[in-house]
Amino acid sequence: MTSSTHPPRSSTVRAGLAGVAAAAVAVGLAEVVAAFTGPQSSPLLAVGAVVVDTVPGPVKDLAIAVFGTHDKTALITGTVVLLAGYAAAVGILALRSWRLALGGVALFTAIGVVAALTRHDAGPAAALPSVVAGVVAAAALRYLVDRATFADPVDDGRRRFLIAAGVAAAAGVAGGVVGRYLTSRRAVTAARKAVVLPQPAQAVPTVPPGAQVEGATAYVTSTRDFYRIDTSLYPPQIDPSTWQLRIHGMVRNPLTITWEQLLQRPMISRYVTLACVSNEVGGDLIGNALWLGTPVQALLDEAQPLPEADQVVSRSADGWTCGTPTSVLRDGRDALLAVGMNGRPLTVPHGFPVRMVVPGLYGYVSACKWITEIELTRFADFDAYWVPRGWAARGPIKTQSRIDTPRDGARRGPGTVTVAGVAWAQHRGITKVELQVDDQPWAPATLAPAVSADTWVQWSYQWQAPPGDHTLRVRATDTDGQTQTSTPAPPAPDGATGWHTVQLTID
Ligand SMILES: Nc1nc2c(c(=O)[nH]1)N[C@H]1C(S)=C(S)[C@@H](COP(=O)(O)O)O[C@H]1N2
Ligand SMILES: [Mo]
């Protein structure tokens, strides 16, 4: 065998593996520590959260467009892949210079510490998981790289190295699993199960017969199918017994209410269709649920906002904020502090124990989940979370419509085809939906009954379909007489516009 001053290639590969294994055991143990210091302090989640907070609106939009509501999984996967690449590089670096490798570990530790400490409400303990990860990574790296370089293939050093690296990686995975398990035991699942929802003061609205058109999406969206959009990588776990809502700022009468006090307030139940501003034309970031809650207006009346306070800022337990016009919340519409969704307590991802629901506004300016604070202020004085990220301060829902059947690209036999879908202009209401086949004149569709103007409405059209390739377009008109514009606009800054169009073949 020839000797060389350069490390042989095989030890370079082993050093890379050593780096990845050291990172694995470090990050895994950090997950165990984070089970005690809080999920937001996990270096993986904290770094992911910083990425979420720093991406501009259009990038967030792209992520939602590509990954849909799996954007969070994609983010964490991406973070893990990047970390593995970085760790391999640090391992290889360790062959040349242990000091530089230590610097690499220190940098990684510092990123974790800073990310965790800058999370909302983070105490000094939030740094602990990252610090533990850094120390463990350095020790494991030293141990493994030593074994990687002295792994002479003629003795069983290589085998010993692989076993050591395998043990480290397995310990990392085990740490991850144990950490997740410990975290899940601190979840508020049991507290949620124990909640008994109060009865509404008025009768529950009934869905009129015929509201559901065959082939269209469900008129009432099940909680399981309801879209979920938020910035939270691990939803806040709030025990109702400790929950409080503070109403303060530009008010004459600041007040704080507990969960018990909230449940004693008059409750109403209302169907309200919630929509996300990121919804593309034809998209499915929209759902209709039965919400149980207490009117926001009465609470605001008690707090007595000052006349200049034109913005109500809602703040969630994890520091997210949204700004709602005070005038909208006091104009008599059924804006709710909701505790129930479809007859059950809110689920944790949908805001347990309390969230806001406001008919007629996009979620990002109104539907604060895990709400703990309401501050009266002015639009001129405070920008809520999405505003500096490129979204409009005010977000009334734009009139929209969607073709649910047939699907784009469908093939059908000739004869009568039922074209059906949904249309929405929450709180204003839909007066007309029209369908256009190819370049023919717009024809009125049949509108199904809806519970109220606060929900979407279903529509249908019986189409005598001749053979050939066809294009179907839909547009809706609201009670203000406004017909949807044909001009396409992206979701940012204040909601997508354009006509939903599907192409199909009749043969
Ligand atoms: N705390 C908190 N509340 C939030 C958000 C968030 O990121 N954090 N996102 C808002 C947005 S953009 C929308 S569209 C709705 C979605 O509510 P859902 O996930 O229950 O459908 O929640 C709103 N409330
Ligand atoms: Mo949204």
Side-chain angles (χ1 to χ4, degrees):
M1 211 190 255
T2 54
S3 71
S4 155
T5 52
H6 287 283
R9 173 167 301 168
S10 57
S11 66
T12 306
V13 171
R14 280 197 292 272
L17 277 181
V20 174
V25 64
V27 167
L29 285 184
E31 288 302 308
V32 178
V33 179
F36 299 94
T37 53
Q40 311 296 334
S41 64
S42 137
L44 273 186
L45 288 193
V47 169
V50 169
V51 174
V52 169
D53 283 353
T54 41
V55 295
V59 178
K60 174 208 91 157
D61 241 44
L62 185 71
I64 290 176
V66 176
F67 301 112
T69 45
H70 297 298
D71 54 341
K72 294 185 170 67
T73 320
L75 174 66
I76 294 295
T77 311
T79 311
V80 168
V81 169
L82 279 181
L83 173 63
Y86 178 77
V90 169
I92 293 166
L93 196 61
L95 287 181
R96 311 272 171 162
S97 158
W98 174 244
R99 279 166 156 244
L100 280 181
L102 262 191
V105 174
L107 178 65
F108 151 88
T109 308
I111 292 173
V113 167
V114 169
L117 285 180
T118 51
R119 296 294 80 213
H120 181 70
D121 274 353
L128 205 58
S130 299
V131 170
V132 167
V135 171
V136 170
L141 187 65
R142 180 86 230 205
Y143 181 86
L144 290 171
V145 168
D146 282 351
R147 260 131 209 91
T149 41
F150 293 114
D152 187 331
V154 291
D155 70 16
D156 62 353
R158 182 163 64 178
R159 229 193 58 189
R160 281 211 301 272
F161 164 75
L162 286 176
I163 290 175
V167 166
V173 172
V177 170
V178 170
R180 295 274 91 188
Y181 169 73
L182 291 175
T183 296
S184 75
R185 293 209 351 171
R186 307 177 106 213
V188 288
T189 324
R192 177 176 174 268
K193 285 224 172 77
V195 167
V196 181
L197 289 180
Q199 289 298 316
Q202 309 161 0
V204 177
T206 48
V207 177
Q212 179 67 53
V213 167
E214 224 181 291
T217 314
Y219 175 76
V220 180
T221 314
S222 68
T223 304
R224 178 198 303 242
D225 291 340
F226 208 95
Y227 79 95
R228 174 192 168 196
I229 292 287
D230 54 61
T231 59
S232 169
L233 293 173
Y234 186 78
Q237 307 289 316
I238 305 171
D239 191 318
S241 65
T242 64
W243 178 87
Q244 288 195 332
L245 177 72
R246 196 157 79 90
I247 306 182
H248 65 112
M250 298 170 71
V251 293
R252 272 196 204 88
N253 181 32
L255 46 111
T256 300
I257 58 170
T258 64
W259 171 250
E260 292 299 320
Q261 290 166 333
L262 182 77
L263 293 196
Q264 272 155 26
R265 298 186 68 88
M267 291 278 160
I268 58 176
S269 64
R270 292 288 183 266
Y271 284 96
V272 175
T273 299
L274 204 65
C276 182
V277 69
S278 297
N279 198 30
E280 305 272 351
V281 173
D284 57 5
L285 299 179
I286 177 165
N288 182 38
L290 178 65
W291 307 95
L292 174 75
T294 193
V296 175
Q297 180 155 9
L299 267 170
L300 288 181
D301 288 348
E302 276 175 49
Q304 299 173 43
L306 303 183
E308 318 83 91
D310 62 352
Q311 178 175 230
V312 174
V313 170
S314 303
R315 190 171 277 111
S316 71
D318 62 353
W320 185 84
T321 51
C322 67
T324 314
T326 312
S327 56
V328 166
L329 293 176
R330 305 185 86 185
D331 73 357
R333 74 183 74 197
D334 293 320
L336 299 179
L337 267 184
V339 296
M341 178 180 188
N342 291 330
R344 312 283 321 231
L346 297 177
T347 59
V348 171
H350 288 293
F352 179 78
V354 187
R355 74 172 307 166
M356 204 183 281
V357 173
V358 183
L361 301 184
Y362 287 121
Y364 84 105
V365 290
S366 66
C368 188
K369 305 191 273 190
W370 315 294
I371 189 172
T372 55
E373 225 183 283
I374 287 178
E375 181 180 353
L376 273 292
T377 176
R378 302 187 311 167
F379 277 102
D381 294 339
F382 184 80
D383 282 342
Y385 185 91
W386 282 114
V387 176
R389 293 170 174 82
W391 297 82
R394 291 163 202 261
I397 289 177
K398 294 180 178 175
T399 302
Q400 264 296 347
S401 52
R402 189 179 76 191
I403 301 171
D404 290 345
T405 183
R407 296 266 164 203
D408 192 38
R411 297 187 95 90
R412 293 288 174 90
T416 308
V417 172
T418 301
V419 185
V422 285
W424 59 91
Q426 289 92 309
H427 204 59
R428 300 186 298 277
I430 294 288
T431 51
K432 187 164 70 174
V433 172
E434 297 162 289
L435 190 79
Q436 186 184 41
V437 179
D438 302 324
D439 295 323
Q440 292 165 33
W442 288 92
T446 305
L447 281 187
V451 172
S452 77
D454 291 346
T455 78
W456 57 13
V457 55
Q458 307 210 333
W459 59 267
S460 61
Y461 182 86
Q462 301 300 319
W463 175 41
Q464 302 307 318
D469 292 339
H470 297 287
T471 301
L472 305 179
R473 281 185 201 86
V474 68
R475 70 179 187 195
T477 302
D478 62 26
T479 52
D480 291 344
Q482 298 289 331
T483 299
Q484 279 178 248
T485 169
S486 63
T487 311
D494 62 358
T497 61
W499 293 334
H500 188 214
T501 302
V502 303
Q503 254 132 21
L504 76 168
T505 304
I506 305 292
D507 53 11

